[in-house]
Coordinates of all heavy atoms in Angstrom, one line a residue:
V36 N -19.9 -5.2 18.9 CA -19.3 -6.5 18.5 C -17.8 -6.6 18.4 O -17.2 -7.5 18.8 CB -19.9 -6.9 17.1 CG1 -19.2 -8.2 16.6 CG2 -21.4 -7.1 17.2
Y37 N -17.2 -5.4 18.0 CA -15.6 -5.4 17.7 C -15.0 -4.6 18.8 O -13.9 -4.3 18.7 CB -15.4 -4.8 16.4 CG -16.2 -5.4 15.2 CD1 -17.0 -4.7 14.5 CD2 -15.8 -6.8 14.9 CE1 -17.6 -5.3 13.4 CE2 -16.4 -7.2 13.9 CZ -17.4 -6.6 13.1 OH -18.0 -7.2 12.1
G38 N -15.6 -4.4 20.0 CA -15.0 -3.7 21.1 C -15.3 -2.2 21.1 O -14.7 -1.5 21.7
G39 N -16.3 -1.8 20.3 CA -16.6 -0.5 20.3 C -15.9 0.2 19.2 O -14.8 -0.1 18.7
P40 N -16.4 1.5 18.9 CA -15.7 2.4 18.0 C -14.3 2.8 18.4 O -14.1 2.8 19.6 CB -16.7 3.5 17.6 CG -17.5 3.5 18.9 CD -17.5 2.1 19.4
V41 N -13.4 3.1 17.5 CA -12.1 3.6 18.0 C -12.3 5.1 18.4 O -13.4 5.7 18.0 CB -11.1 3.6 16.8 CG1 -10.7 2.2 16.3 CG2 -11.5 4.4 15.6
S42 N -11.4 5.5 19.2 CA -11.6 6.8 19.8 C -11.6 7.9 18.6 O -11.0 7.7 17.6 CB -10.5 7.2 20.9 OG -9.3 7.4 20.2
N43 N -12.1 9.0 18.9 CA -12.2 10.1 18.0 C -10.7 10.6 17.5 O -10.6 11.0 16.3 CB -12.8 11.4 18.7 CG -13.6 12.2 17.6 OD1 -13.9 11.8 16.5 ND2 -13.8 13.5 17.9
E44 N -9.7 10.5 18.4 CA -8.4 10.8 18.1 C -7.8 9.9 17.1 O -6.8 10.2 16.4 CB -7.5 11.0 19.4 CG -7.9 12.1 20.2 CD -9.2 11.7 21.1 OE1 -9.2 10.5 21.5 OE2 -9.8 12.5 21.5
E45 N -8.2 8.6 17.1 CA -7.6 7.5 16.3 C -8.2 7.4 14.9 O -7.7 6.7 14.0 CB -7.8 6.1 17.0 CG -7.0 6.0 18.2 CD -7.4 4.6 18.8 OE1 -8.4 4.4 19.4 OE2 -6.5 3.7 18.6
I46 N -9.4 8.0 14.7 CA -10.0 7.9 13.4 C -9.3 8.4 12.2 O -8.9 9.6 12.3 CB -11.5 8.5 13.4 CG1 -12.3 8.0 14.6 CG2 -12.1 8.5 12.0 CD1 -13.6 8.7 14.8
F47 N -9.0 7.7 11.2 CA -8.4 8.2 10.0 C -9.4 8.2 8.8 O -10.0 7.2 8.5 CB -7.3 7.3 9.6 CG -6.7 7.7 8.3 CD1 -6.0 8.9 8.2 CD2 -6.8 7.0 7.2 CE1 -5.5 9.2 6.9 CE2 -6.3 7.2 6.0 CZ -5.5 8.4 5.8
V48 N -9.7 9.4 8.5 CA -10.6 9.6 7.3 C -9.8 9.9 6.0 O -9.1 11.0 5.8 CB -11.6 10.7 7.5 CG1 -12.6 10.9 6.3 CG2 -12.4 10.5 8.8
P49 N -9.7 8.9 5.1 CA -8.7 9.1 4.0 C -9.2 10.1 3.0 O -10.4 10.1 2.7 CB -8.7 7.6 3.4 CG -10.0 6.9 3.8 CD -10.3 7.7 5.1
P50 N -8.4 10.8 2.4 CA -8.8 11.8 1.3 C -9.2 10.9 0.1 O -8.6 9.8 0.0 CB -7.5 12.6 1.0 CG -6.4 12.1 1.8 CD -7.0 10.9 2.8
P51 N -10.1 11.4 -0.7 CA -10.9 12.6 -0.6 C -12.2 12.5 0.1 O -13.0 13.4 -0.1 CB -11.1 12.8 -2.1 CG -11.4 11.4 -2.6 CD -10.4 10.5 -1.8
T52 N -12.4 11.6 1.0 CA -13.5 11.4 1.8 C -13.8 12.7 2.6 O -12.9 13.1 3.3 CB -13.5 10.3 2.7 OG1 -13.1 9.1 2.0 CG2 -14.8 10.0 3.4
P53 N -15.0 13.3 2.5 CA -15.2 14.5 3.4 C -15.3 14.2 4.8 O -15.8 13.1 5.2 CB -16.5 15.1 2.9 CG -17.3 13.8 2.2 CD -16.2 13.0 1.7
E54 N -14.9 15.0 5.8 CA -14.9 14.8 7.1 C -16.1 15.3 7.8 O -16.2 16.3 8.5 CB -13.7 15.3 7.8 CG -12.5 14.6 7.6 CD -11.6 14.5 8.8 OE1 -12.0 14.5 9.8 OE2 -10.3 14.5 8.4
F55 N -17.3 14.6 7.6 CA -18.5 14.8 8.2 C -18.6 14.0 9.4 O -18.0 13.0 9.5 CB -19.7 14.6 7.3 CG -19.7 15.5 6.0 CD1 -19.8 14.9 4.7 CD2 -19.6 16.9 6.0 CE1 -19.8 15.7 3.6 CE2 -19.6 17.7 5.0 CZ -19.7 17.1 3.7
S56 N -19.5 14.3 10.4 CA -19.8 13.5 11.5 C -20.2 12.1 11.1 O -19.7 11.0 11.7 CB -20.8 14.1 12.5 OG -22.0 14.3 11.9
Y57 N -21.0 12.0 10.0 CA -21.4 10.7 9.7 C -20.3 9.7 9.1 O -20.1 8.6 9.5 CB -22.5 10.7 8.5 CG -22.9 9.4 7.8 CD1 -23.8 8.6 8.6 CD2 -22.4 9.0 6.7 CE1 -24.1 7.4 8.1 CE2 -22.8 7.7 6.2 CZ -23.6 6.9 6.8 OH -23.9 5.7 6.3
T58 N -19.4 10.4 8.3 CA -18.2 9.6 7.7 C -17.3 9.3 8.9 O -16.7 8.1 8.8 CB -17.5 10.4 6.5 OG1 -17.1 11.7 7.1 CG2 -18.4 10.5 5.3
R59 N -17.0 10.1 9.8 CA -16.2 9.9 11.0 C -16.7 8.7 11.8 O -16.0 7.8 12.1 CB -16.0 11.0 11.8 CG -15.2 12.1 11.2 CD -14.7 13.2 12.0 NE -13.8 12.8 13.1 CZ -12.6 12.6 13.0 NH1 -12.0 12.7 11.9 NH2 -11.9 12.2 14.1
K60 N -18.1 8.7 12.0 CA -18.7 7.5 12.7 C -18.5 6.2 11.9 O -18.2 5.2 12.5 CB -20.1 7.9 12.9 CG -20.9 6.7 13.5 CD -22.4 7.1 13.7 CE -23.2 5.9 14.2 NZ -24.7 6.2 14.3
E61 N -18.8 6.3 10.7 CA -18.5 5.1 9.8 C -17.1 4.5 9.9 O -16.9 3.4 10.0 CB -19.0 5.3 8.4 CG -20.6 5.5 8.3 CD -21.3 4.3 8.8 OE1 -21.1 3.1 8.4 OE2 -22.2 4.5 9.7
F62 N -16.2 5.5 9.7 CA -14.8 5.1 9.7 C -14.4 4.6 11.0 O -13.6 3.7 11.3 CB -13.9 6.2 9.2 CG -13.7 6.1 7.7 CD1 -14.4 7.0 6.9 CD2 -13.0 5.2 7.1 CE1 -14.3 7.1 5.5 CE2 -12.8 5.2 5.7 CZ -13.5 6.1 4.9
S63 N -14.9 5.1 12.2 CA -14.6 4.7 13.4 C -15.2 3.2 13.7 O -14.3 2.4 14.1 CB -15.4 5.6 14.5 OG -15.3 5.0 15.7
R64 N -16.2 2.9 13.2 CA -16.7 1.6 13.3 C -15.8 0.6 12.4 O -15.6 -0.5 12.8 CB -18.3 1.4 12.9 CG -19.1 2.1 13.9 CD -20.6 2.3 13.6 NE -21.0 1.1 13.0 CZ -22.1 1.2 12.1 NH1 -22.6 2.2 11.8 NH2 -22.6 -0.1 11.6
F65 N -15.6 1.0 11.2 CA -14.9 0.3 10.2 C -13.4 0.0 10.8 O -13.1 -1.2 10.7 CB -14.8 1.1 8.8 CG -14.1 0.3 7.7 CD1 -14.5 -0.9 7.3 CD2 -12.9 0.8 7.3 CE1 -13.9 -1.6 6.3 CE2 -12.3 0.2 6.2 CZ -12.8 -1.0 5.7
Q66 N -12.7 1.0 11.3 CA -11.4 0.8 11.7 C -11.4 0.0 13.1 O -10.5 -0.7 13.4 CB -10.8 2.2 12.0 CG -10.5 2.8 10.7 CD -10.2 4.4 10.7 OE1 -10.0 5.0 11.7 NE2 -10.3 4.9 9.6
S67 N -12.5 0.0 13.9 CA -12.6 -0.9 15.0 C -12.6 -2.3 14.5 O -12.0 -3.2 15.1 CB -13.8 -0.6 15.8 OG -14.0 -1.5 16.8
A68 N -13.4 -2.6 13.5 CA -13.5 -4.0 13.0 C -12.1 -4.5 12.4 O -11.7 -5.6 12.6 CB -14.6 -4.0 11.7
I69 N -11.4 -3.5 11.8 CA -10.0 -3.8 11.3 C -9.1 -4.2 12.5 O -8.3 -5.2 12.4 CB -9.4 -2.6 10.5 CG1 -10.2 -2.5 9.1 CG2 -8.0 -2.9 10.2 CD1 -9.8 -1.2 8.5
K70 N -9.1 -3.4 13.6 CA -8.3 -3.7 14.7 C -8.7 -5.1 15.3 O -7.8 -5.9 15.7 CB -8.4 -2.6 15.8 CG -7.8 -1.4 15.4 CD -8.1 -0.2 16.4 CE -7.4 -0.4 17.6 NZ -7.5 0.7 18.5
Y71 N -10.0 -5.3 15.3 CA -10.4 -6.6 15.8 C -9.9 -7.8 15.0 O -9.5 -8.8 15.5 CB -11.9 -6.6 15.9 CG -12.6 -7.9 16.4 CD1 -12.7 -8.2 17.7 CD2 -13.1 -8.8 15.4 CE1 -13.3 -9.3 18.1 CE2 -13.7 -10.0 15.8 CZ -13.7 -10.2 17.2 OH -14.4 -11.4 17.6
F72 N -9.9 -7.6 13.8 CA -9.5 -8.6 12.7 C -8.0 -8.8 12.7 O -7.5 -9.8 12.4 CB -10.0 -8.3 11.4 CG -9.7 -9.3 10.4 CD1 -10.5 -10.5 10.3 CD2 -8.9 -9.1 9.4 CE1 -10.2 -11.4 9.4 CE2 -8.7 -10.0 8.3 CZ -9.3 -11.2 8.4
D73 N -7.2 -7.8 13.2 CA -5.8 -7.8 13.1 C -5.2 -9.0 13.9 O -4.2 -9.7 13.6 CB -5.2 -6.5 13.5 CG -3.8 -6.4 13.2 OD1 -3.4 -6.7 12.1 OD2 -3.0 -5.9 14.1
K74 N -5.8 -9.3 15.1 CA -5.2 -10.3 16.1 C -5.4 -11.7 15.5 O -4.4 -12.4 15.5 CB -6.0 -10.1 17.4 CG -5.3 -10.8 18.5 CD -5.9 -10.6 19.9 CE -5.1 -11.0 20.9 NZ -5.6 -10.6 22.2
P75 N -6.5 -12.1 14.9 CA -6.6 -13.5 14.4 C -5.7 -13.6 13.2 O -5.2 -14.7 12.9 CB -8.1 -13.6 14.1 CG -8.8 -12.5 14.5 CD -7.9 -11.4 15.1
M76 N -5.6 -12.5 12.4 CA -4.7 -12.6 11.2 C -3.3 -12.8 11.6 O -2.5 -13.5 11.0 CB -4.9 -11.3 10.3 CG -6.2 -11.2 9.5 SD -6.4 -12.7 8.4 CE -5.2 -12.5 7.3
G77 N -2.8 -12.1 12.8 CA -1.5 -12.4 13.2 C -1.3 -13.8 13.7 O -0.2 -14.3 13.4
R78 N -2.3 -14.4 14.3 CA -2.2 -15.7 14.7 C -2.1 -16.7 13.4 O -1.3 -17.6 13.4 CB -3.4 -16.2 15.6 CG -3.3 -15.6 17.0 CD -4.2 -16.3 17.9 NE -5.7 -16.4 17.4 CZ -6.6 -15.6 17.6 NH1 -6.4 -14.6 18.5 NH2 -7.8 -15.7 17.3
L79 N -2.8 -16.3 12.4 CA -2.8 -17.2 11.2 C -1.5 -17.0 10.7 O -0.7 -18.1 10.2 CB -3.8 -16.6 10.2 CG -3.8 -17.1 8.8 CD1 -4.1 -18.8 8.7 CD2 -4.6 -16.4 7.8
F80 N -0.8 -15.8 10.5 CA 0.6 -15.6 10.0 C 1.6 -16.4 10.7 O 2.4 -17.0 10.2 CB 0.9 -14.2 9.8 CG 0.0 -13.5 8.7 CD1 -0.5 -12.2 9.0 CD2 -0.2 -14.1 7.5 CE1 -1.2 -11.5 8.0 CE2 -1.0 -13.4 6.5 CZ -1.5 -12.2 6.8
D81 N 1.4 -16.3 12.0 CA 2.3 -17.0 12.9 C 2.2 -18.5 12.7 O 3.2 -19.2 12.7 CB 2.0 -16.7 14.4 CG 2.4 -15.3 14.9 OD1 3.2 -14.6 14.0 OD2 1.9 -14.8 15.9
A82 N 1.0 -19.1 12.6 CA 0.8 -20.5 12.3 C 1.5 -20.9 10.9 O 2.1 -21.9 11.0 CB -0.6 -20.8 12.4
I83 N 1.2 -20.1 10.0 CA 1.8 -20.4 8.7 C 3.4 -20.4 8.7 O 4.0 -21.4 8.2 CB 1.4 -19.4 7.6 CG1 0.0 -19.6 7.3 CG2 2.3 -19.5 6.3 CD1 -0.7 -18.4 6.4
E84 N 4.0 -19.5 9.5 CA 5.4 -19.5 9.7 C 5.9 -20.7 10.4 O 6.8 -21.3 10.1 CB 5.9 -18.2 10.4 CG 5.9 -17.0 9.5 CD 7.0 -17.0 8.5 OE1 8.1 -17.6 8.7 OE2 6.8 -16.5 7.3
A85 N 5.1 -21.0 11.5 CA 5.6 -22.1 12.5 C 5.5 -23.5 11.7 O 6.3 -24.4 11.9 CB 4.6 -22.2 13.6
M86 N 4.6 -23.5 10.7 CA 4.5 -24.8 9.9 C 5.6 -24.7 8.7 O 5.7 -25.8 8.0 CB 3.1 -24.9 9.2 CG 2.1 -25.3 10.4 SD 0.5 -25.6 9.8 CE 0.0 -24.1 8.9
G87 N 6.3 -23.8 8.6 CA 7.3 -23.7 7.6 C 6.9 -23.3 6.2 O 7.5 -23.5 5.2
Y88 N 5.7 -22.7 6.1 CA 5.1 -22.3 4.8 C 5.2 -20.8 4.5 O 4.5 -20.3 3.6 CB 3.6 -22.8 4.7 CG 3.4 -24.3 4.7 CD1 2.7 -24.9 5.8 CD2 4.0 -25.1 3.7 CE1 2.6 -26.2 5.8 CE2 3.8 -26.4 3.8 CZ 3.1 -26.9 4.7 OH 2.9 -28.3 4.8
G89 N 5.9 -20.1 5.4 CA 6.0 -18.7 5.2 C 6.5 -18.2 4.0 O 5.9 -17.1 3.4
E90 N 7.5 -18.7 3.4 CA 8.0 -18.3 2.1 C 7.1 -18.8 0.8 O 7.3 -18.3 -0.3 CB 9.4 -18.8 1.8 CG 10.3 -18.3 2.8 CD 10.5 -16.8 2.8 OE1 10.7 -16.3 1.6 OE2 10.6 -16.2 3.7
D91 N 6.2 -19.7 1.1 CA 5.4 -20.2 -0.2 C 3.9 -20.0 0.1 O 3.2 -20.7 -0.6 CB 5.7 -21.8 -0.2 CG 7.1 -22.1 -0.4 OD1 7.8 -21.5 -1.2 OD2 7.5 -23.1 0.3
T92 N 3.5 -19.1 0.9 CA 2.1 -19.0 1.1 C 1.8 -17.5 0.7 O 2.3 -16.6 1.1 CB 1.8 -19.2 2.5 OG1 2.2 -20.6 2.9 CG2 0.3 -19.1 2.8
L93 N 0.6 -17.4 0.0 CA 0.0 -16.1 -0.3 C -1.3 -16.1 0.5 O -2.2 -17.0 0.2 CB -0.2 -15.9 -1.8 CG -0.9 -14.7 -2.3 CD1 -0.3 -13.3 -1.8 CD2 -1.3 -14.8 -3.8
V94 N -1.6 -15.1 1.2 CA -2.9 -15.0 2.0 C -3.6 -13.8 1.3 O -3.1 -12.7 1.2 CB -2.8 -14.7 3.5 CG1 -4.1 -14.5 4.1 CG2 -2.0 -15.8 4.1
V95 N -4.8 -14.1 0.9 CA -5.6 -13.0 0.2 C -6.9 -12.8 1.1 O -7.5 -13.7 1.4 CB -6.1 -13.4 -1.2 CG1 -7.0 -12.4 -1.8 CG2 -4.8 -13.6 -2.0
F96 N -7.1 -11.6 1.4 CA -8.4 -11.3 2.1 C -9.0 -10.2 1.5 O -8.6 -9.2 0.9 CB -8.0 -10.7 3.7 CG -9.2 -10.2 4.3 CD1 -10.2 -11.0 4.9 CD2 -9.5 -8.8 4.4 CE1 -11.2 -10.6 5.5 CE2 -10.7 -8.3 5.0 CZ -11.5 -9.2 5.6
T97 N -10.4 -10.5 1.2 CA -11.2 -9.5 0.5 C -12.6 -9.4 1.0 O -12.9 -10.2 2.0 CB -11.3 -10.0 -1.0 OG1 -12.0 -9.0 -1.8 CG2 -12.0 -11.3 -1.2
T98 N -13.4 -8.4 0.7 CA -14.7 -8.2 1.2 C -15.6 -7.9 0.0 O -15.1 -7.6 -1.0 CB -14.7 -7.2 2.2 OG1 -16.1 -7.0 2.7 CG2 -14.3 -5.8 1.6
D99 N -16.8 -8.2 0.3 CA -17.8 -8.0 -0.9 C -18.4 -6.5 -1.0 O -19.2 -6.2 -1.8 CB -18.9 -9.0 -0.9 CG -19.7 -8.9 0.5 OD1 -19.3 -8.2 1.3 OD2 -20.8 -9.4 0.5
H100 N -17.9 -5.8 -0.1 CA -18.5 -4.3 -0.1 C -17.6 -3.4 0.7 O -16.7 -3.9 1.5 CB -19.9 -4.3 0.6 CG -20.0 -4.8 2.0 ND1 -19.5 -4.1 3.1 CD2 -20.4 -6.1 2.4 CE1 -19.7 -4.9 4.1 NE2 -20.1 -6.1 3.8
G101 N -17.9 -2.2 0.7 CA -17.1 -1.2 1.5 C -17.9 -1.0 2.8 O -18.6 -1.8 3.3
I102 N -17.9 0.3 3.2 CA -18.5 0.7 4.4 C -20.0 1.0 4.1 O -20.4 1.8 3.4 CB -17.9 2.0 5.1 CG1 -16.5 1.6 5.3 CG2 -18.7 2.3 6.2 CD1 -15.8 2.9 5.8
V103 N -20.9 0.0 4.6 CA -22.3 0.1 4.2 C -23.0 -0.2 5.5 O -22.8 -1.1 6.3 CB -22.7 -1.0 3.2 CG1 -24.2 -0.8 2.9 CG2 -21.8 -0.7 1.8
D104 N -24.1 0.7 5.7 CA -25.0 0.5 6.9 C -26.1 -0.4 6.5 O -26.6 -0.5 5.6 CB -25.5 1.8 7.4 CG -25.0 2.2 8.7 OD1 -24.5 1.3 9.4 OD2 -25.3 3.3 9.2

């Protein structure tokens, strides 16, 4: 859905998360979703700036869960 998992070299497993093959797989998928989401967020921020609301706008993004299968 998100263009596939990020490459093995790109995966960042934050401490104190253990680096098991399962956690690397989950972070690979999660980080792929983040990369996919980055482009539309950039368009949103560009649009906010173009409309002149850049200094007066707060954008909040949240999720209802962490990495869950």
